[in-house]
Amino acid sequence: MEHCRIIDVAYDAGFESVDGFQRAFLREFGCNPREYANSPIPLPLFTPYGVKFSKPGKGSSEMETVTSVFIQVIEKPARKVIIKRGEKATEYWSYCEEVGCDVWGILTSMKSLCGEPVCLRLPEKYRKPGTSEYVQGVEVALDYNGAVPDGFDVIELPAADRAFSGIFFRLGRS
């Protein structure tokens, strides 16, 4: 875990005093910053969204058509994934409408094997009846026994010689 002083975090976050930061942290998360640093639990961190977008899926009308694709092939060990399921979602925007985009803030507060949350399309055998194909989650070690936020599930995935990780953007005029 990265070591940093609370005073530095307070000032970096725009607070004028450590006391004000600690009170705000306690009011928002139910523990003080030191308690959190000593025993991190999933917290609903703020996820900033572009000011131009008032609703998920609504893009700027000035945007030219842009397509970016990034794919990498990686080896994945057997692992657990703490996931938040939707109901019918097959992609990001419908997932956000069902679950809410705030789930990403909770996921980013959790320590992940790959350093960040993941978006997954679950094969049928990992879906519960009445739940979505598309989910978001955090990969953790097989021996993970830490906190699991309310409303989240834990699944085990086998090792994969060729797991694909990618980012896809397709933006155009609305």
Side-chain angles (χ1 to χ4, degrees):
M1 182 172 153
E2 181 181 329
H3 178 73
C4 54
R5 298 179 327 158
I6 292 174
I7 190 169
D8 295 331
V9 174
Y11 290 144
D12 287 347
F15 285 85
E16 294 180 10
S17 71
V18 172
D19 189 46
F21 173 71
Q22 289 178 322
R23 282 194 314 268
F25 196 96
L26 178 64
R27 183 176 52 248
E28 186 66 27
F29 302 117
C31 63
N32 70 45
R34 178 74 58 212
E35 290 170 332
Y36 176 76
N38 291 335
S39 182
I41 56 172
L43 297 174
L45 298 176
F46 174 72
T47 305
Y49 297 100
V51 176
K52 293 181 183 178
F53 308 114
S54 61
K55 286 181 152 182
K58 300 292 181 186
S60 167
S61 61
E62 301 171 17
M63 182 68 69
E64 293 295 324
T65 299
V66 177
T67 301
S68 296
V69 178
F70 164 75
I71 299 176
Q72 68 185 62
V73 179
I74 49 180
E75 292 181 27
K76 292 280 192 172
R79 65 218 176 273
K80 289 181 181 176
V81 186
I82 301 169
I83 61 170
K84 177 70 173 177
R85 297 178 191 272
E87 294 175 12
K88 299 177 186 173
T90 58
E91 42 74 36
Y92 176 79
W93 297 116
S94 59
Y95 179 83
C96 279
E97 288 176 1
E98 290 178 13
V99 175
C101 295
D102 295 342
V103 69
W104 199 258
I106 294 171
L107 295 171
T108 55
S109 78
M110 301 171 70
K111 187 172 172 84
S112 170
L113 287 177
C114 62
E116 62 186 0
V118 295
C119 303
L120 303 168
R121 292 189 191 280
L122 295 179
E124 191 67 41
K125 69 180 185 178
Y126 293 104
R127 292 186 222 154
K128 290 181 176 179
T131 65
S132 63
E133 169 188 353
Y134 181 92
V135 299
Q136 293 180 354
V138 175
E139 295 177 318
V140 295
L142 272 179
D143 62 353
Y144 179 83
N145 62 358
V148 176
D150 288 340
F152 285 68
D153 288 329
V154 179
I155 60 173
E156 284 190 23
L157 297 179
D161 291 338
R162 294 179 189 241
F164 296 93
S165 172
I167 300 173
F168 308 92
F169 296 98
R170 178 163 286 143
L171 304 173
R173 295 183 189 270
S174 357

